[in-house]
């Protein structure tokens, strides 16, 4: 699909990773594209511009990347911010952010920006977005954060194949414990699936082969704004109220244990009553047989 999109659907005029040209020839193609397709091209950006020291932390083609970005954005129809770096800032914008790295929308404010976060974004999502724009000639519907709704309207948690274990309060408690081998939910080990919007659990990765949770590791929330500065990847979310009765996983676990305890106690009481009823020194029951 990606091959078809690249070779048959779009004209990819500039990409320094895969284009044959290099150096001045490559930069000339960029200028040519800007002049020839004024207002008619989509600028897809990876990474983000560092603004401190006049942008000198990222020099591209002999000048600060931020200059190249603003120049190409000026004549574009729309901008696609590929990945969490371009969409939110990501690790190079982590505190204390010495280079002053900022997401694209902090620099470009007068063009439509489609955010496709993920570290990295899913190939099928990228391809799906390009296909949509070329097929329908318009930009897709975006959510309030500027992400295509068709790919970012559901949480990892909503389509996670371990969700039934979450709902049944069956959690992995420690790495490689018995519950981990049973494929139980990774919530207690820090899985951010309940607060992360992306299509990983629906599309998976590498042609649908797998995704982090399927490999036994919780979701890091890499497509969410600020995920890199929100503490350890293994800290549990403490604020989700997913159980319908305002309880967290521990409380649910305790409640379940309490119910089991009650059931055991009730069973023991019934058994004791039956035993008592059948004690030889107790008078035989005169009523209806039970
Ligand atoms: S908490 Fe994580 S592992 Fe558990 S069901 Fe949700 S997304 Fe899946």
């Amino acid at each position: 699909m990606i091959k078809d999109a690249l070779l048959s659907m779009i004209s990819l005029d500039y990409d320094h990773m895969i284009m044959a040209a290099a150096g001045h020839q490559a930069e000339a193609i960029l200028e040519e594209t800007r002049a020839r397709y004024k207002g008619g091209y989509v600028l897809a950006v990876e990474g983000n511009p560092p603004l401190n020291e006049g942008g000198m932390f990222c020099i591209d083609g002999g000048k600060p990347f931020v200059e190249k970005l603003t120049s190409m954005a000026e004549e574009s129809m729309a901008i696609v911010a590929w990945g969490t770096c371009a969409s939110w800032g990501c690790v190079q914008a982590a505190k204390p952010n010495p280079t002053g790295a900022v997401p694209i929308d902090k620099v470009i404010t007068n063009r439509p920006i489609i955010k496709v976060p993920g570290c990295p974004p899913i190939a099928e999502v990228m391809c799906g977005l390009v296909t949509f724009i070329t097929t329908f000639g318009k930009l897709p519907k975006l959510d309030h954060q500027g992400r295509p709704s068709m790919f970012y309207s559901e949480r990892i948690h909503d389509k996670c194949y371990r969700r039934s274990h979450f709902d049944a309060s069956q959690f992995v408690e420690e790495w490689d414990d018995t519950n981990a081998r049973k494929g139980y939910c990774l919530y207690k080990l820090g899985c951010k699936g309940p607060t992360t919007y992306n299509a990983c659990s629906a599309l998976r990765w590498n042609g649908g082969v797998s995704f982090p949770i399927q490999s036994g590791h919780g979701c890091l929330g890499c497509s969410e704004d600020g995920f890199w500065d929100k503490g350890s990847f293994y800290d549990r979310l403490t604020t989700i109220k997913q159980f319908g009765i305002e309880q967290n996983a521990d409380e649910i676990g305790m409640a379940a244990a309490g119910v089991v305890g009650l059931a055991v106690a009730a069973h023991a009481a019934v058994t004791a009553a039956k035993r008592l009823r059948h004690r030889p020194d107790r008078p035989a029951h005169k009523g209806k047989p039970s």
Side-chain angles (χ1 to χ4, degrees):
M1 186 180 178
I2 293 168
K3 169 175 64 74
D4 292 339
L6 279 180
L7 300 178
S8 309
M9 293 171 61
I10 64 170
S11 168
L12 183 64
D13 287 14
Y14 178 93
D15 185 312
H16 65 277
M17 290 294 285
I18 60 175
M19 65 196 302
H24 295 300
Q25 282 181 328
E27 296 310 301
I29 291 170
L30 201 59
E31 286 306 317
E32 186 186 319
T33 303
R34 183 177 186 275
R36 184 185 291 182
Y37 303 107
K38 269 180 190 282
Y41 61 85
V42 173
L43 177 66
V45 185
E46 283 182 76
N48 58 34
L51 302 184
N52 287 352
E53 306 292 341
M56 296 301 281
F57 288 105
C58 183
I59 299 298
D60 183 353
K63 52 190 175 190
F65 171 60
V66 66
E67 286 182 23
K68 189 176 195 175
L69 172 64
T70 49
S71 161
M72 289 306 294
E74 223 165 57
E75 302 296 348
S76 69
M77 178 181 90
I79 296 162
V80 178
W82 281 150
T84 300
C85 299
S87 298
W88 308 129
C90 206
V91 290
Q92 60 269 44
K95 293 170 186 165
N97 192 2
T99 66
V102 294
I104 303 302
D105 64 356
K106 290 284 184 286
V107 175
I108 311 298
T109 55
N110 58 354
R111 286 286 179 279
I113 296 178
I114 307 165
K115 294 178 179 174
V116 186
C119 192
I122 301 171
E124 282 82 353
V125 169
M126 300 168 79
C127 196
L129 175 65
V130 169
T131 303
F132 183 94
I133 296 172
T134 52
T135 303
F136 297 106
K138 62 178 184 180
L139 305 183
K141 180 171 173 282
L142 305 180
D143 67 11
H144 69 287
Q145 293 192 33
R147 305 170 295 193
S149 301
M150 67 178 104
F151 297 117
Y152 291 91
S153 61
E154 290 188 302
R155 302 169 304 169
I156 303 296
H157 191 60
D158 296 326
K159 291 248 165 67
C160 179
Y161 75 103
R162 299 192 189 217
R163 177 61 185 267
S164 56
H165 294 300
F166 177 92
D167 292 340
S169 305
Q170 295 172 323
F171 299 104
V172 177
E173 302 286 344
E174 288 179 20
W175 298 113
D176 205 29
D177 67 5
T178 308
N179 291 352
R181 289 181 211 131
K182 286 178 181 170
Y184 283 3
C185 171
L186 296 158
Y187 168 73
K188 286 190 174 180
L189 297 185
C191 180
K192 305 295 186 292
T195 54
T196 302
Y197 288 80
N198 206 336
C200 305
S201 53
L203 296 176
R204 307 197 184 190
W205 284 79
N206 300 321
V209 172
S210 186
F211 72 119
I213 289 170
Q214 195 171 339
S215 303
H217 195 286
C219 166
L220 302 182
C222 76
S223 52
E224 289 298 312
D225 190 7
F227 86 92
W228 56 90
D229 271 339
K230 289 182 178 167
S232 165
F233 293 148
Y234 305 103
D235 284 346
R236 286 173 47 186
L237 297 165
T238 55
T239 52
I240 64 163
K241 304 291 184 188
Q242 298 298 313
F243 300 93
I245 49 173
E246 302 293 301
Q247 286 177 298
N248 63 32
D250 278 340
E251 288 165 343
I252 278 285
M254 286 171 61
V259 170
V260 171
L262 277 176
V264 169
H267 176 74
V270 169
T271 306
K274 281 186 178 169
R275 281 206 192 110
L276 187 64
R277 197 168 55 207
H278 292 104
R279 271 172 53 177
D281 58 339
R282 188 171 186 266
H285 182 61
K286 302 289 185 195
K288 284 171 63 180
S290 59

